[in-house]
Amino acid sequence: MRGFVVVDGGVEAALEPEEARILASLAAQLSSLLGEAADDEALSDADPAVARLLPDAYRDDEEAAAEWRRLSRRALAERKGAFASRFAADLADAAAASQTTRIRLDEAGAIDWMRAIGDLRLVLAERMEVGDDREGMSDLYDWLAWMQDDLVRVLDLAEERGA
Amino acid sequence: MVALPAVPLVDESVDVERRELHASEVPWITIVWNDPVNLMSYVAWVFRRHFGMDAPTAEQRMMQVHTEGRAVVAEGNREAMERHVEAMHEYGLWATLERAPR
């Protein structure tokens, strides 16, 4: 893909099937991880990536932090899971296609993509610490950074043009 | 810096006991912490988008996170700060709230 452009009602990018398949697979894994994390608070202790996706809201007050987790953690995990699911769903057609597919996103969709891409980078950063395919993950990590940065750029551009 | 719910001003005439009753009105702050993952462009964008900061303010606050390890991005009552922290977590930023230093 070459990056996003501003179009009527949002932004658009052309994705190759292979690119869409990789992103869709990552998005599905993220959605699944967040689904597990929503149901299992102990996963934050077992998996540093989950701890980073769903950090404590209080730093030096364990009681308040625990209360926060009890009240807010599940819903937060579910909302983040929904961003990842939407990212995956938006990619489904392009992933199943045999040729380049243009994907159009409205602003809310683009923001969900940015959030999901950011969360994927948080997970990859943790996995790279211990993983055995560091080079592959590092390429993905950089590619996702480029894509998120490009979304920031194009949303600013869309806002300028809309203003 | 940011449009926030008004914090009740402390009335200098009230006595200590009454002030303690209003401990819930002591301001809280939202802090964003540095992490090695989030992009500088994205963090500044989140500050503009969520807090309504103008571009120079968002850039300055983002650089403060980057160079000093943390920056205070909002101040107000506890409930409002909890909502900001939750919003930051939705964006993947690492944020916490605590009582404002007196």
Side-chain angles (χ1 to χ4, degrees):
Chain A
M1 69 181 284
R2 286 188 179 165
F4 283 87
V5 293
V6 179
V7 294
D8 210 19
V11 299
E12 192 178 271
L15 269 80
E16 302 301 324
E18 182 62 16
E19 294 174 325
R21 280 195 285 274
I22 292 167
L23 292 175
S25 163
L26 289 170
Q29 291 175 55
L30 175 63
S31 171
S32 157
L33 180 66
L34 284 162
E36 283 173 46
D39 293 331
D40 182 7
E41 197 179 306
L43 206 55
S44 286
D45 298 323
D47 185 344
V50 172
R52 181 57 190 84
L53 288 172
L54 305 167
D56 278 341
Y58 293 85
R59 218 169 125 93
D60 300 317
D61 184 342
E62 180 46 40
E63 199 178 323
E67 177 73 354
W68 164 270
R69 285 195 295 270
R70 192 177 69 75
L71 293 174
S72 304
R73 187 181 177 282
R74 171 186 287 269
L76 179 63
E78 287 172 351
R79 284 199 300 280
K80 286 168 87 79
F83 305 147
S85 296
R86 152 133 207 203
F87 185 38
D90 287 342
L91 291 158
D93 286 349
S98 55
Q99 56 197 1
T100 309
T101 304
R102 304 199 71 82
I103 297 181
R104 181 174 291 205
L105 304 170
D106 61 12
E107 189 189 48
I111 292 173
D112 281 0
W113 276 46
M114 290 167 95
R115 297 183 200 261
I117 289 169
D119 282 349
L120 278 174
R121 294 188 71 248
L122 292 173
V123 174
L124 280 169
E126 294 294 340
R127 300 289 184 257
M128 281 192 290
E129 296 276 319
V130 293
D132 48 13
D133 177 26
R134 286 180 206 191
E135 201 174 322
M137 282 195 280
S138 173
D139 288 346
L140 277 177
Y141 183 78
D142 292 344
W143 183 43
L144 291 169
W146 172 81
M147 206 180 302
Q148 194 188 42
D149 189 58
D150 195 55
L151 279 163
V152 169
R153 178 194 61 80
V154 80
L155 283 184
D156 280 343
L157 201 58
E159 195 180 314
E160 273 171 35
R161 292 194 189 169
Chain B
M1 143 181 104
V2 185
L4 288 170
V7 177
L9 293 172
V10 175
D11 182 346
E12 294 300 333
S13 67
V14 299
D15 61 26
V16 171
E17 198 174 5
R18 184 164 161 74
R19 280 191 195 181
E20 282 181 2
L21 281 176
H22 286 86
S24 64
E25 291 171 359
V26 170
W28 289 67
I29 51 175
T30 298
I31 298 170
V32 170
W33 300 86
N34 192 32
D35 71 63
V37 178
N38 275 304
L39 302 178
M40 293 164 83
S41 60
Y42 176 66
V43 173
W45 178 86
V46 169
F47 288 174
R48 279 185 278 134
R49 173 87 192 180
H50 178 77
F51 295 107
M53 292 180 193
D54 60 29
T57 306
E59 194 72 13
Q60 182 271 332
R61 216 51 57 89
M62 176 278 291
M63 282 308 296
Q64 195 184 354
V65 172
H66 186 68
T67 58
E68 297 174 24
R70 54 171 267 173
V72 176
V73 291
E75 180 174 327
N77 68 44
R78 184 174 184 172
E79 290 69 29
M81 296 308 100
E82 286 197 334
R83 285 196 295 276
H84 284 320
V85 164
E86 199 160 346
M88 291 302 99
H89 292 181
E90 284 186 15
Y91 282 113
L93 272 55
W94 178 24
T96 58
L97 70 152
E98 62 188 53
R99 278 182 194 280
R102 299 171 196 217

